PDB file of all heavy atoms in Angstrom:
ATOM      1  N   PHE A1258     -23.146   2.739  30.690  1.00 87.00           N
ATOM      2  CA  PHE A1258     -22.756   3.618  31.798  1.00 87.00           C
ATOM      3  C   PHE A1258     -23.001   5.088  31.465  1.00 87.00           C
ATOM      4  O   PHE A1258     -23.087   5.930  32.361  1.00 87.00           O
ATOM      5  CB  PHE A1258     -21.290   3.406  32.152  1.00 87.00           C
ATOM      6  CG  PHE A1258     -21.024   2.126  32.889  1.00 87.00           C
ATOM      7  CD1 PHE A1258     -20.199   1.153  32.340  1.00 87.00           C
ATOM      8  CD2 PHE A1258     -21.599   1.882  34.131  1.00 87.00           C
ATOM      9  CE1 PHE A1258     -19.944  -0.025  33.017  1.00 87.00           C
ATOM     10  CE2 PHE A1258     -21.343   0.702  34.813  1.00 87.00           C
ATOM     11  CZ  PHE A1258     -20.524  -0.254  34.254  1.00 87.00           C
ATOM     12  N   TYR A1259     -23.106   5.390  30.184  1.00 86.00           N
ATOM     13  CA  TYR A1259     -23.324   6.772  29.757  1.00 86.00           C
ATOM     14  C   TYR A1259     -24.754   6.993  29.249  1.00 86.00           C
ATOM     15  O   TYR A1259     -25.027   7.949  28.525  1.00 86.00           O
ATOM     16  CB  TYR A1259     -22.299   7.141  28.683  1.00 86.00           C
ATOM     17  CG  TYR A1259     -20.883   6.944  29.152  1.00 86.00           C
ATOM     18  CD1 TYR A1259     -20.089   5.917  28.627  1.00 86.00           C
ATOM     19  CD2 TYR A1259     -20.344   7.747  30.155  1.00 86.00           C
ATOM     20  CE1 TYR A1259     -18.791   5.713  29.085  1.00 86.00           C
ATOM     21  CE2 TYR A1259     -19.052   7.547  30.609  1.00 86.00           C
ATOM     22  CZ  TYR A1259     -18.287   6.535  30.075  1.00 86.00           C
ATOM     23  OH  TYR A1259     -17.001   6.333  30.538  1.00 86.00           O
ATOM     24  N   GLY A1260     -25.643   6.078  29.629  1.00 83.00           N
ATOM     25  CA  GLY A1260     -27.065   6.232  29.319  1.00 83.00           C
ATOM     26  C   GLY A1260     -27.465   5.835  27.922  1.00 83.00           C
ATOM     27  O   GLY A1260     -28.577   6.139  27.485  1.00 83.00           O
ATOM     28  N   ASN A1261     -26.596   5.132  27.200  1.00 85.00           N
ATOM     29  CA  ASN A1261     -26.914   4.709  25.838  1.00 85.00           C
ATOM     30  C   ASN A1261     -27.470   3.280  25.846  1.00 85.00           C
ATOM     31  O   ASN A1261     -26.807   2.357  26.299  1.00 85.00           O
ATOM     32  CB  ASN A1261     -25.660   4.754  24.955  1.00 85.00           C
ATOM     33  CG  ASN A1261     -25.095   6.151  24.837  1.00 85.00           C
ATOM     34  OD1 ASN A1261     -25.836   7.112  24.671  1.00 85.00           O
ATOM     35  ND2 ASN A1261     -23.774   6.276  24.928  1.00 85.00           N
ATOM     36  N   THR A1262     -28.682   3.134  25.381  1.00 84.00           N
ATOM     37  CA  THR A1262     -29.305   1.816  25.278  1.00 84.00           C
ATOM     38  C   THR A1262     -29.679   1.555  23.820  1.00 84.00           C
ATOM     39  O   THR A1262     -29.870   2.500  23.041  1.00 84.00           O
ATOM     40  CB  THR A1262     -30.559   1.718  26.153  1.00 84.00           C
ATOM     41  OG1 THR A1262     -31.487   2.752  25.771  1.00 84.00           O
ATOM     42  CG2 THR A1262     -30.210   1.891  27.629  1.00 84.00           C
ATOM     43  N   TYR A1263     -29.790   0.284  23.475  1.00 86.00           N
ATOM     44  CA  TYR A1263     -30.007  -0.094  22.082  1.00 86.00           C
ATOM     45  C   TYR A1263     -31.110  -1.138  21.981  1.00 86.00           C
ATOM     46  O   TYR A1263     -31.280  -1.971  22.883  1.00 86.00           O
ATOM     47  CB  TYR A1263     -28.708  -0.637  21.478  1.00 86.00           C
ATOM     48  CG  TYR A1263     -27.555   0.325  21.603  1.00 86.00           C
ATOM     49  CD1 TYR A1263     -26.652   0.222  22.667  1.00 86.00           C
ATOM     50  CD2 TYR A1263     -27.383   1.346  20.682  1.00 86.00           C
ATOM     51  CE1 TYR A1263     -25.598   1.104  22.798  1.00 86.00           C
ATOM     52  CE2 TYR A1263     -26.330   2.243  20.810  1.00 86.00           C
ATOM     53  CZ  TYR A1263     -25.444   2.118  21.866  1.00 86.00           C
ATOM     54  OH  TYR A1263     -24.413   3.012  21.997  1.00 86.00           O
ATOM     55  N   SER A1264     -31.812  -1.097  20.861  1.00 87.00           N
ATOM     56  CA  SER A1264     -32.878  -2.066  20.613  1.00 87.00           C
ATOM     57  C   SER A1264     -32.287  -3.438  20.316  1.00 87.00           C
ATOM     58  O   SER A1264     -31.102  -3.563  19.983  1.00 87.00           O
ATOM     59  CB  SER A1264     -33.735  -1.617  19.431  1.00 87.00           C
ATOM     60  OG  SER A1264     -32.972  -1.625  18.237  1.00 87.00           O
ATOM     61  N   ILE A1265     -33.125  -4.462  20.424  1.00 89.00           N
ATOM     62  CA  ILE A1265     -32.691  -5.824  20.097  1.00 89.00           C
ATOM     63  C   ILE A1265     -32.225  -5.888  18.647  1.00 89.00           C
ATOM     64  O   ILE A1265     -31.217  -6.539  18.330  1.00 89.00           O
ATOM     65  CB  ILE A1265     -33.827  -6.837  20.342  1.00 89.00           C
ATOM     66  CG1 ILE A1265     -34.222  -6.860  21.820  1.00 89.00           C
ATOM     67  CG2 ILE A1265     -33.402  -8.231  19.887  1.00 89.00           C
ATOM     68  CD1 ILE A1265     -33.107  -7.297  22.753  1.00 89.00           C
ATOM     69  N   ARG A1266     -32.958  -5.208  17.768  1.00 90.00           N
ATOM     70  CA  ARG A1266     -32.593  -5.213  16.345  1.00 90.00           C
ATOM     71  C   ARG A1266     -31.206  -4.591  16.139  1.00 90.00           C
ATOM     72  O   ARG A1266     -30.378  -5.128  15.399  1.00 90.00           O
ATOM     73  CB  ARG A1266     -33.630  -4.439  15.543  1.00 90.00           C
ATOM     74  CG  ARG A1266     -33.336  -4.378  14.041  1.00 90.00           C
ATOM     75  CD  ARG A1266     -34.458  -3.663  13.295  1.00 90.00           C
ATOM     76  NE  ARG A1266     -34.206  -3.637  11.863  1.00 90.00           N
ATOM     77  CZ  ARG A1266     -33.473  -2.712  11.249  1.00 90.00           C
ATOM     78  NH1 ARG A1266     -32.927  -1.726  11.970  1.00 90.00           N
ATOM     79  NH2 ARG A1266     -33.284  -2.763   9.953  1.00 90.00           N
ATOM     80  N   ARG A1267     -30.942  -3.466  16.808  1.00 88.00           N
ATOM     81  CA  ARG A1267     -29.643  -2.804  16.683  1.00 88.00           C
ATOM     82  C   ARG A1267     -28.526  -3.698  17.223  1.00 88.00           C
ATOM     83  O   ARG A1267     -27.441  -3.798  16.620  1.00 88.00           O
ATOM     84  CB  ARG A1267     -29.681  -1.482  17.456  1.00 88.00           C
ATOM     85  CG  ARG A1267     -28.368  -0.697  17.463  1.00 88.00           C
ATOM     86  CD  ARG A1267     -28.097  -0.012  16.143  1.00 88.00           C
ATOM     87  NE  ARG A1267     -26.906   0.803  16.212  1.00 88.00           N
ATOM     88  CZ  ARG A1267     -26.864   2.064  16.644  1.00 88.00           C
ATOM     89  NH1 ARG A1267     -28.000   2.658  17.036  1.00 88.00           N
ATOM     90  NH2 ARG A1267     -25.744   2.729  16.661  1.00 88.00           N
ATOM     91  N   LEU A1268     -28.780  -4.363  18.334  1.00 88.00           N
ATOM     92  CA  LEU A1268     -27.776  -5.253  18.906  1.00 88.00           C
ATOM     93  C   LEU A1268     -27.500  -6.441  17.994  1.00 88.00           C
ATOM     94  O   LEU A1268     -26.351  -6.860  17.833  1.00 88.00           O
ATOM     95  CB  LEU A1268     -28.222  -5.732  20.285  1.00 88.00           C
ATOM     96  CG  LEU A1268     -28.209  -4.676  21.398  1.00 88.00           C
ATOM     97  CD1 LEU A1268     -28.873  -5.223  22.646  1.00 88.00           C
ATOM     98  CD2 LEU A1268     -26.777  -4.230  21.702  1.00 88.00           C
ATOM     99  N   PHE A1269     -28.557  -6.985  17.393  1.00 90.00           N
ATOM    100  CA  PHE A1269     -28.370  -8.115  16.480  1.00 90.00           C
ATOM    101  C   PHE A1269     -27.554  -7.705  15.261  1.00 90.00           C
ATOM    102  O   PHE A1269     -26.614  -8.408  14.865  1.00 90.00           O
ATOM    103  CB  PHE A1269     -29.726  -8.671  16.036  1.00 90.00           C
ATOM    104  CG  PHE A1269     -29.612  -9.711  14.959  1.00 90.00           C
ATOM    105  CD1 PHE A1269     -29.211 -11.007  15.270  1.00 90.00           C
ATOM    106  CD2 PHE A1269     -29.887  -9.404  13.621  1.00 90.00           C
ATOM    107  CE1 PHE A1269     -29.086 -11.970  14.269  1.00 90.00           C
ATOM    108  CE2 PHE A1269     -29.763 -10.355  12.629  1.00 90.00           C
ATOM    109  CZ  PHE A1269     -29.364 -11.646  12.956  1.00 90.00           C
ATOM    110  N   LEU A1270     -27.904  -6.571  14.657  1.00 90.00           N
ATOM    111  CA  LEU A1270     -27.166  -6.098  13.490  1.00 90.00           C
ATOM    112  C   LEU A1270     -25.716  -5.758  13.853  1.00 90.00           C
ATOM    113  O   LEU A1270     -24.803  -5.947  13.052  1.00 90.00           O
ATOM    114  CB  LEU A1270     -27.860  -4.878  12.883  1.00 90.00           C
ATOM    115  CG  LEU A1270     -29.225  -5.137  12.237  1.00 90.00           C
ATOM    116  CD1 LEU A1270     -29.852  -3.835  11.756  1.00 90.00           C
ATOM    117  CD2 LEU A1270     -29.107  -6.130  11.077  1.00 90.00           C
ATOM    118  N   SER A1271     -25.525  -5.276  15.076  1.00 89.00           N
ATOM    119  CA  SER A1271     -24.164  -4.995  15.537  1.00 89.00           C
ATOM    120  C   SER A1271     -23.368  -6.280  15.717  1.00 89.00           C
ATOM    121  O   SER A1271     -22.150  -6.311  15.506  1.00 89.00           O
ATOM    122  CB  SER A1271     -24.209  -4.225  16.860  1.00 89.00           C
ATOM    123  OG  SER A1271     -24.839  -2.970  16.694  1.00 89.00           O
ATOM    124  N   ALA A1272     -24.057  -7.349  16.123  1.00 88.00           N
ATOM    125  CA  ALA A1272     -23.392  -8.624  16.374  1.00 88.00           C
ATOM    126  C   ALA A1272     -22.849  -9.275  15.110  1.00 88.00           C
ATOM    127  O   ALA A1272     -21.972 -10.141  15.184  1.00 88.00           O
ATOM    128  CB  ALA A1272     -24.344  -9.585  17.080  1.00 88.00           C
ATOM    129  N   ILE A1273     -23.355  -8.867  13.947  1.00 89.00           N
ATOM    130  CA  ILE A1273     -22.829  -9.390  12.685  1.00 89.00           C
ATOM    131  C   ILE A1273     -22.035  -8.339  11.917  1.00 89.00           C
ATOM    132  O   ILE A1273     -21.616  -8.564  10.781  1.00 89.00           O
ATOM    133  CB  ILE A1273     -23.961  -9.957  11.789  1.00 89.00           C
ATOM    134  CG1 ILE A1273     -24.990  -8.866  11.441  1.00 89.00           C
ATOM    135  CG2 ILE A1273     -24.623 -11.142  12.458  1.00 89.00           C
ATOM    136  CD1 ILE A1273     -26.019  -9.301  10.421  1.00 89.00           C
ATOM    137  N   GLY A1274     -21.851  -7.172  12.531  1.00 87.00           N
ATOM    138  CA  GLY A1274     -21.024  -6.148  11.928  1.00 87.00           C
ATOM    139  C   GLY A1274     -21.732  -5.239  10.944  1.00 87.00           C
ATOM    140  O   GLY A1274     -21.092  -4.382  10.334  1.00 87.00           O
ATOM    141  N   TRP A1275     -23.036  -5.404  10.789  1.00 89.00           N
ATOM    142  CA  TRP A1275     -23.762  -4.535   9.842  1.00 89.00           C
ATOM    143  C   TRP A1275     -23.977  -3.140  10.422  1.00 89.00           C
ATOM    144  O   TRP A1275     -23.906  -2.150   9.716  1.00 89.00           O
ATOM    145  CB  TRP A1275     -25.092  -5.165   9.466  1.00 89.00           C
ATOM    146  CG  TRP A1275     -25.857  -4.389   8.436  1.00 89.00           C
ATOM    147  CD1 TRP A1275     -26.926  -3.572   8.637  1.00 89.00           C
ATOM    148  CD2 TRP A1275     -25.582  -4.338   7.028  1.00 89.00           C
ATOM    149  NE1 TRP A1275     -27.345  -3.019   7.457  1.00 89.00           N
ATOM    150  CE2 TRP A1275     -26.533  -3.474   6.444  1.00 89.00           C
ATOM    151  CE3 TRP A1275     -24.626  -4.948   6.210  1.00 89.00           C
ATOM    152  CZ2 TRP A1275     -26.566  -3.210   5.082  1.00 89.00           C
ATOM    153  CZ3 TRP A1275     -24.652  -4.673   4.843  1.00 89.00           C
ATOM    154  CH2 TRP A1275     -25.617  -3.812   4.293  1.00 89.00           C
ATOM    155  N   SER A1276     -24.250  -3.088  11.713  1.00 86.00           N
ATOM    156  CA  SER A1276     -24.400  -1.824  12.424  1.00 86.00           C
ATOM    157  C   SER A1276     -23.316  -1.741  13.473  1.00 86.00           C
ATOM    158  O   SER A1276     -22.479  -2.639  13.596  1.00 86.00           O
ATOM    159  CB  SER A1276     -25.789  -1.738  13.055  1.00 86.00           C
ATOM    160  OG  SER A1276     -25.999  -0.459  13.639  1.00 86.00           O
ATOM    161  N   ARG A1277     -23.305  -0.659  14.261  1.00 83.00           N
ATOM    162  CA  ARG A1277     -22.278  -0.550  15.284  1.00 83.00           C
ATOM    163  C   ARG A1277     -22.791   0.243  16.477  1.00 83.00           C
ATOM    164  O   ARG A1277     -23.742   1.027  16.370  1.00 83.00           O
ATOM    165  CB  ARG A1277     -21.025   0.118  14.733  1.00 83.00           C
ATOM    166  CG  ARG A1277     -21.207   1.572  14.337  1.00 83.00           C
ATOM    167  CD  ARG A1277     -19.891   2.165  13.893  1.00 83.00           C
ATOM    168  NE  ARG A1277     -20.022   3.567  13.527  1.00 83.00           N
ATOM    169  CZ  ARG A1277     -18.995   4.354  13.230  1.00 83.00           C
ATOM    170  NH1 ARG A1277     -17.770   3.869  13.256  1.00 83.00           N
ATOM    171  NH2 ARG A1277     -19.179   5.605  12.908  1.00 83.00           N
TER     172      ARG A1277
END
Side-chain angles (χ1 to χ4, degrees):
F1258 286 118
Y1259 304 110
N1261 298 317
T1262 57
Y1263 305 95
S1264 65
I1265 297 298
R1266 180 176 182 274
R1267 178 75 176 274
L1268 289 171
F1269 172 77
L1270 292 176
S1271 297
I1273 60 172
W1275 184 257
S1276 186
R1277 66 176 181 173

